[in-house]
Amino acid sequence: MNQLLDELSQKGIRVSAKGDSLTIQAPKGVITPEIKQLLQINKKEILNSLIEQNSEINLQAEVLLEPQLYPQKQVVYHNHQQVESIFITGVTGFLGAFILQELLDKTQANIYCLVRAKSHKKANQKVKHNLDCYGLWDNTYSSRIICILGDLSQPKLGLTENDFNDLAQKIDIIYHSGALLNWVCSYAALKPINVLGTHEIIKLACEQKVKPVHYISTLAVWESAAYAGKIVSEAEPLTHWQGIKLGYSQSKWVAEKLILEAHERGLPVTIYRPPLISGHSQTGAWNTDDVVCRVIKGCLQMGSMPSLDYLLNLSPVDYVSRAIVCLSQQEESIGQIFHLNNLQPLHWESFVDWMRNFGYKINLLAYENWAQELNTIKSCHQNPLSPLLPFFQKRSSNGDLLIPQQYNCQRVPKYSCQQTFNVLSSQQISCPPVDNKLLNKYFIYFIKNNFLSTP
Ligand SMILES: NC(=O)c1ccc[n+]([C@@H]2O[C@H](COP(=O)([O-])OP(=O)(O)OC[C@H]3O[C@@H](n4cnc5c(N)ncnc54)[C@H](OP(=O)(O)O)[C@@H]3O)[C@@H](O)[C@H]2O)c1
């Protein structure tokens, strides 16, 4: 049914449910007798499917922390120099690799890393290979990295009861960066890793002895329409969830609420909310599989970019990882939330201009036209945008806007990061602006690594 709805939407036909009748809007001449018949035959299924899409999951009702899950013993705050054992998730990913390296550099601790792998040998190779890819590996790290084979989506992270308890006894502090980042999966598909995985991390933190949890959230938790156009500071209570569009953002909202609930029960937690994370500000090293890189490459293949009133809020990964580790080492950070947005983002259309000045030939198209153009890459698997088509072409539940248009400047909040700034300014850590210098670094990296060809 979703395929049929997608096909209708690509022809410019909008179907919406009003009670138990179907409303159809289409440009003149588009509805052929065949399409009319198709709509008549499938009316009931289309209605059911639309109603299902429209019914929002009650995210608040998803915030379910086991009733008996309380930190049992009093917290001993370690001086960060004395922390002996750190536990971290997500080190085979982009941000996790940089946090791991920063922790290896800034502490003396052994670092226990949760890794999905078949054997310890494969897990070690996976971690080393990932750090190597981003130019971070140093052979002296090996002796301090201890891989724990496990899976966030499994009860007790996939460990046996004994192994889980041993780990809970051994570690002093937790950094939780692991998650499934996906722009097209539903909340239900992401819940096991992003929500239930976070629940198991809280369990690990409460078991045996209490461990502070440093949780990597996202600014996408503010996607509810209730915050549109408002200034949201780190102190703003995270209450609204209605209207959060993406399954990923929904899952991160619920996961963060679990962390906040655990904090209310006495668990020491700190929450970090980055915007989109971009490449290293000096080396340019970037996860080219992420959505921004896919859009850049995919659009260059198409020869066109969409016109959007959108602010490209990118924080380089070296800033985000340094900020997280530095903030986590301040005792006063416990119980705090930190926004890691860029104070000098770039408007999307200035970015398109920059790419043109760099030498690429790009047409700027009205978003609706560009979304139509995307149909030409449907069967073209070489275009990195093809797995993301539902994200770029799906309409909001009331049918007015395509999803990316809902991130237009007036529809998102303005982020304040005063709290972060107050702490980091005295530590000489600041976020570089998204400017010519930074973009040059990134495009030189893309070209050097054969991700893009020269203009
Ligand atoms: N990247 C961004 O622009 C951005 C922006 C804001 C917030 N964040 C947040 O920052 C954190 C890190 O993001 P990232 O960009 O580093 O993501 P990433 O590159 O996709 O890495 C995700 C990490 O999570 C691990 N993971 C996924 N499913 C797992 C499972 N079932 N069990 C164990 N580990 C699992 C992955 O392991 P495998 O290697 O086994 O897949 C990988 O190490 C996430 O919490 C994300 O929500 C990211």
Side-chain angles (χ1 to χ4, degrees):
M1 199 42 53
N2 282 342
Q3 199 186 340
L4 173 63
L5 288 173
D6 279 353
E7 280 168 19
L8 292 172
S9 145
Q10 279 149 27
K11 289 190 164 73
I13 304 170
R14 291 189 198 176
V15 283
S16 50
K18 281 229 169 87
D20 56 1
S21 66
L22 207 56
T23 307
I24 299 160
Q25 292 170 289
K28 220 172 159 192
V30 168
I31 305 221
T32 59
E34 290 76 33
I35 293 180
K36 204 169 176 181
Q37 195 184 16
L38 199 66
L39 288 167
Q40 268 160 2
I41 295 170
N42 292 292
K43 181 178 166 188
K44 203 162 157 221
E45 283 77 10
I46 294 175
L47 268 172
N48 286 342
S49 177
L50 287 171
I51 288 162
E52 204 178 295
Q53 276 179 19
N54 291 352
S55 61
E56 275 185 335
I57 305 156
N58 180 344
L59 296 184
Q60 185 61 57
E62 289 287 301
V63 185
L64 294 169
L65 204 55
E66 273 176 22
Q68 69 280 18
L69 198 53
Y70 276 84
Q72 298 298 326
K73 297 182 193 150
Q74 220 184 344
V75 182
V76 181
Y77 287 110
H78 292 270
N79 176 327
H80 70 89
Q81 303 287 5
Q82 291 162 356
V83 167
E84 286 176 7
S85 303
I86 296 172
F87 178 74
I88 177 168
T89 66
V91 298
T92 52
F94 181 41
L95 176 60
F98 285 83
I99 298 180
L100 172 60
Q101 197 240 8
E102 189 70 14
L103 287 170
L104 285 161
D105 276 1
K106 300 279 159 62
T107 74
Q108 306 295 314
N110 286 328
I111 310 203
Y112 293 76
C113 306
L114 187 79
V115 181
R116 282 195 288 192
K118 291 228 160 65
S119 66
H120 279 96
K121 191 174 169 202
K122 290 207 162 110
N124 287 324
Q125 284 168 348
K126 197 172 165 185
V127 174
K128 177 176 186 286
H129 174 73
N130 190 45
L131 264 71
D132 231 0
C133 283
Y134 295 121
L136 302 174
W137 183 253
D138 184 313
N139 280 335
T140 61
Y141 294 159
S142 301
S143 60
R144 287 169 58 209
I145 296 177
I146 299 136
C147 290
I148 305 287
L149 306 188
D151 188 327
L152 283 167
S153 66
Q154 299 301 311
K156 294 194 190 290
L157 306 173
L159 308 184
T160 63
E161 177 99 23
N162 275 346
D163 287 350
F164 189 80
N165 290 342
D166 282 353
L167 182 66
Q169 183 59 53
K170 217 175 282 168
I171 58 179
D172 302 312
I173 185 167
I174 296 175
Y175 291 79
H176 180 31
S177 181
L180 183 52
L181 275 83
N182 185 298
W183 294 56
V184 293
C185 283
S186 64
Y187 170 77
L190 297 165
K191 178 176 171 176
I193 296 176
N194 295 358
V195 176
L196 303 181
T198 301
H199 188 280
E200 297 310 285
I201 291 292
I202 295 169
K203 203 181 266 178
L204 182 69
C206 292
E207 197 74 34
Q208 307 292 325
K209 63 182 189 194
V210 179
K211 286 133 321 248
V213 176
H214 295 273
Y215 172 64
I216 319 303
S217 183
T218 163
L219 284 174
V221 294
W222 295 116
E223 266 179 27
S224 165
Y227 301 109
K230 297 210 173 116
I231 296 176
V232 288
S233 72
E234 287 119 324
E236 174 88 28
L238 182 67
T239 42
H240 301 286
W241 53 269
Q242 292 86 347
I244 299 185
K245 295 158 278 285
L246 290 186
Y248 166 69
S249 310
Q250 292 172 330
S251 70
K252 293 293 283 189
W253 188 92
V254 177
E256 187 178 314
K257 290 296 271 189
L258 286 177
I259 294 280
L260 289 166
E261 167 78 31
H263 181 55
E264 272 173 29
R265 295 188 190 184
L267 187 69
V269 306
T270 307
I271 294 172
Y272 307 88
R273 296 184 185 136
L276 289 169
I277 302 172
S278 57
H280 192 284
S281 62
Q282 300 307 314
T283 65
W286 192 335
N287 170 17
T288 50
D289 203 25
D290 85 349
V291 68
V292 179
C293 296
R294 280 175 179 267
V295 168
I296 293 170
K297 185 172 177 146
C299 285
L300 284 176
Q301 282 182 19
M302 291 166 68
S304 63
M305 292 184 92
S307 162
L308 281 170
D309 180 18
Y310 171 72
L311 274 186
L312 195 50
N313 201 320
L314 299 175
S315 285
V317 69
D318 47 322
Y319 164 69
V320 176
S321 53
R322 278 185 78 202
I324 290 172
V325 171
C326 174
L327 292 163
S328 72
Q329 292 180 334
Q330 319 294 317
E331 208 168 295
E332 312 75 53
S333 294
I334 291 295
Q336 303 296 324
I337 296 175
F338 295 100
H339 283 174
L340 299 171
N341 51 301
N342 198 319
L343 283 173
Q344 289 161 275
L346 187 70
H347 193 276
W348 177 254
E349 292 190 3
S350 305
F351 175 60
V352 178
D353 282 343
W354 185 91
M355 283 178 63
R356 283 168 159 167
N357 287 336
F358 192 75
Y360 291 113
K361 292 202 170 20
I362 307 158
N363 290 323
L364 189 65
L365 300 181
Y367 190 85
E368 297 267 349
N369 297 343
W370 180 80
Q372 283 281 332
E373 283 264 308
L374 279 176
N375 291 331
T376 58
I377 64 151
K378 237 181 171 175
S379 51
C380 169
H381 297 298
Q382 283 101 330
N383 190 303
L385 288 175
S386 67
L388 296 174
L389 287 184
F391 171 76
F392 289 107
Q393 295 189 320
K394 204 167 151 189
R395 287 193 185 272
S396 56
S397 45
N398 63 11
D400 287 348
L401 295 172
L402 289 151
I403 289 183
Q405 293 172 311
Q406 297 172 55
Y407 294 93
N408 277 357
C409 290
Q410 298 88 347
R411 293 175 184 273
V412 294
K414 296 169 179 57
Y415 308 110
S416 153
C417 55
Q418 193 59 46
Q419 168 120 314
T420 308
F421 184 79
N422 290 346
V423 183
L424 293 185
S425 51
S426 60
Q427 308 284 329
Q428 282 80 49
I429 298 176
S430 60
C431 185
V434 187
D435 61 6
N436 184 40
K437 188 171 158 211
L438 190 67
L439 293 176
N440 253 312
K441 279 260 154 55
Y442 292 157
F443 278 74
I444 288 167
Y445 174 83
F446 292 152
I447 292 166
K448 216 169 107 193
N449 288 276
N450 296 320
F451 177 68
L452 296 183
S453 41
T454 39

